[in-house]
Amino acid sequence: MLDIQVLRSDLDGVAARLATRGFVLDTVRFGELEAARKSIQMRTQELQSKRNSSSKLIGQAKSRGEDTTTIMAEVALVGEELKQVEVQLIELQSELQAMLEGLPNMPHDSVPVGKSETDNIEVRRVGSIPQFGFAVKDHVELGENLGGLDFETAAKISGARFSVLKGGVARLHRALAQFMLDTHTDQHGYTEVYVPYLVNADSMRGTGQLPKFEEDLFRVPRQMGEEGEQNFYLIPTAEVPVTNMVRDEIVPLEQLPLKYVAHTPCFRSEAGSAGRDTRGLIRQHQFEKVELVQMVQPENSYAALELLLGHAETILQKLGLHYRVVRLCTGDIGFSSATTYDIEVWLPAQNTYREISSCSNFEAFQARRLQARFRNAAGKPELLHTLNGSGLAVGRTLVAILENNQLSDGSIAIPEILQPYMGGMKVLSAG
RNA sequence: GGAGAGGUGGCAGAGUGGUCGAAUGUACCUGACUCGAAAUCAGGCGUAGGUAUAUGCCUACCGUGGGUUCGAAUCCCACCCUCUCCGCCA
């Protein structure tokens, strides 16, 4: 959520910034709502003030045993108008709030201006494209030949976009997650957290998935009380529960930065992506991810983003995978993000780079919704900056290992760093 | 699932219809005393919003939502959460 104070003081400036990401801010509508809000709010507070002082007088008069009929008649009139005006104020404020919640974050000045992913800027390539002396197979063929990947059974159990992993492939998947967690906790200073996979609507609102992107989520209806219904939502990323840990908190300065890592399943409805990436593990309703989340002081957030990006890159480097880092342009960054780097891993069977991590600085956008603050050096509460990044998407890392480490006979060379997690296994082969 | 207790400021903890944004203690900040510290004394110390010459004035907030009332932390209703005991359970 953007700061309404900034909209009030520099509406055109905000509109111009949002325009770079293809968002049209209705400045006229906002101006009207604000003007109405201002006059109604002032009137409301004036009436409340009158009611409060009159009620006080009634109390005093009654305690002296005096007659209060005149003043009570007066305050009754105030009460009537107040009731009407309060209703109007609530309507106006919820309309303003809805408008505000619908506004995406403002891109940082450094973000390249562009319309779509074709305008993204490649920052660097690390490693080199592996060469094969044979025709490469894709991860589906490799996994199935190894007896470790079964989409048909998954379709029977659940449906499309699910998978069953077996044997060595399942273990490799687990090994990857363990390796990532260990690296981030032991070498990068993150605290491991285990968090709920079902969260409430407030949490989804806090990180920006609601109200705009409900169709991307799996909703779990839940009966509350007599007829009340309240939803749980399956998390689409650990960002949601982990970032919400600081919701409505004021963190002492000396505890910053907060650095958390969580390994969770992620659930996405993939509404609107029908027909895309239907083959293989690339786009699933359920997948595993190791997520890095940081809460930092505003002045440190861009330095923290570079570090966090480096933490994610470390995983790829240790696994010996070739990748590139891409700076997303204004037209391609996510709703809540001020700046995003994507890390794309090389997939030889597709002869292209595919996203395996996305690292973003949200500045105070999430923190404002969350009321996530810290006590600054002056002792005053101030909004935190929140950041997160995949470190990494486990399923896609598995895909990358299978494809990049395949041998001519269809077996898979296990990266040295993973071998301890695989009971010393060096090559994964069928049977 | 059954029975009970409770949710108030950073923490503890009063407050059951009127001057209560809230006693008191504690923590913290400032000052006095002191060579310095401790102790003691005095003062200060919540969050958000509105207005704007304002160190000013006003509004809201006592788990959440609704209701009663001129007036609600206090009364009524619903819900959420926490704790204790019993039962069941991975």
Side-chain angles (χ1 to χ4, degrees), chain A residues 66 174 213 225 270 364:
Chain A
E66 295 170 10
R174 171 163 58 90
F213 305 103
E270 294 300 341

Side-chain angles (χ1 to χ4, degrees), chain A residues 41-263:
Chain A
Q41 180 163 350
M42 285 174 70
R43 182 65 183 151
T44 304
Q45 295 190 350
E46 190 184 325
L47 291 168
Q48 285 172 331
S49 175
K50 204 180 282 183
R51 181 201 57 196
N52 289 346
S53 55
S54 297
S55 294
K56 228 168 240 185
L57 288 176
I58 291 172
Q60 287 168 359
K62 281 200 166 172
S63 70
R64 288 194 300 264
E66 295 170 10
D67 177 64
T68 58
T69 48
T70 330
I71 191 164
M72 283 181 72
E74 255 175 58
V75 81
L77 289 176
V78 170
E80 260 170 56
E81 187 184 348
L82 188 57
K83 223 170 258 178
Q84 293 173 10
V85 124
E86 275 176 339
V87 169
Q88 286 179 46
L89 184 62
I90 287 167
E91 279 173 10
L92 278 168
Q93 280 177 333
S94 61
E95 202 167 333
L96 267 169
Q97 184 67 19
M99 189 170 181
L100 207 54
E101 284 187 357
L103 301 182
N105 202 355
M106 290 195 285
H108 187 258
D109 284 334
S110 65
V111 177
V113 175
K115 282 194 166 66
S116 69
E117 61 178 306
T118 55
D119 299 315
N120 293 344
I121 290 175
E122 187 176 297
V123 177
R124 60 177 163 269
R125 294 187 184 203
V126 176
S128 53
I129 295 177
Q131 302 301 317
F132 297 88
F134 54 90
V136 295
K137 302 182 181 74
D138 79 351
H139 72 277
V140 177
E141 194 177 347
L142 289 163
E144 287 178 345
N145 289 346
L146 288 167
L149 203 45
D150 185 347
F151 292 101
E152 282 185 25
T153 302
K156 175 178 70 182
I157 300 168
S158 297
R161 293 203 192 281
F162 287 95
S163 55
V164 169
L165 306 184
K166 283 191 291 197
V169 175
R171 182 169 187 179
L172 181 57
H173 184 250
R174 171 163 58 90
L176 281 167
Q178 301 302 319
F179 158 65
M180 293 177 195
L181 278 171
D182 287 348
T183 303
H184 294 311
T185 53
D186 296 344
Q187 294 175 27
H188 299 151
Y190 289 81
T191 300
E192 182 174 351
V193 289
Y194 169 81
V195 291
Y197 304 154
L198 287 164
V199 302
N200 57 35
D202 282 342
S203 293
M204 285 296 183
R205 204 169 293 113
T207 35
Q209 280 74 22
L210 291 179
K212 267 203 121 169
F213 305 103
E214 179 155 24
E215 70 277 9
D216 296 335
L217 302 170
F218 285 108
R219 194 179 60 220
V220 182
R222 178 193 184 202
Q223 200 63 34
M224 303 295 275
E226 292 289 300
E227 58 204 79
E229 195 176 89
Q230 217 170 299
N231 294 314
F232 274 141
Y233 293 87
L234 280 163
I235 57 170
T237 159
E239 164 194 350
V240 177
V242 176
T243 310
N244 271 279
M245 294 199 310
V246 293
R247 172 150 53 92
D248 296 321
E249 297 288 335
I250 299 174
V251 182
L253 186 58
E254 60 272 20
Q255 284 179 20
L256 297 179
L258 296 175
K259 296 168 70 178
Y260 295 117
V261 57
H263 166 223

Side-chain angles (χ1 to χ4, degrees), chain A residues 289-292 308 312 343 355-359 388-393:
Chain A
K289 187 155 58 66
V290 171
E291 184 77 1
L292 306 172
L308 188 150
I343 302 175
E355 179 187 336
I356 197 166
S357 172
S358 190
C359 301
N388 68 54
S390 342
L392 306 160

Side-chain angles (χ1 to χ4, degrees), chain A residues 25 144 219 269 354 402:
Chain A
L25 173 59
E144 287 178 345
R219 194 179 60 220
S269 75
R354 288 303 302 255
L402 292 176

Side-chain angles (χ1 to χ4, degrees), chain A residues 17 19-22 107-108 111-115 120 328-333:
Chain A
R17 291 280 293 287
T20 65
R21 53 181 301 165
H108 187 258
V111 177
V113 175
K115 282 194 166 66
N120 293 344
L328 299 196
C329 73
T330 53
D332 202 29
I333 58 173

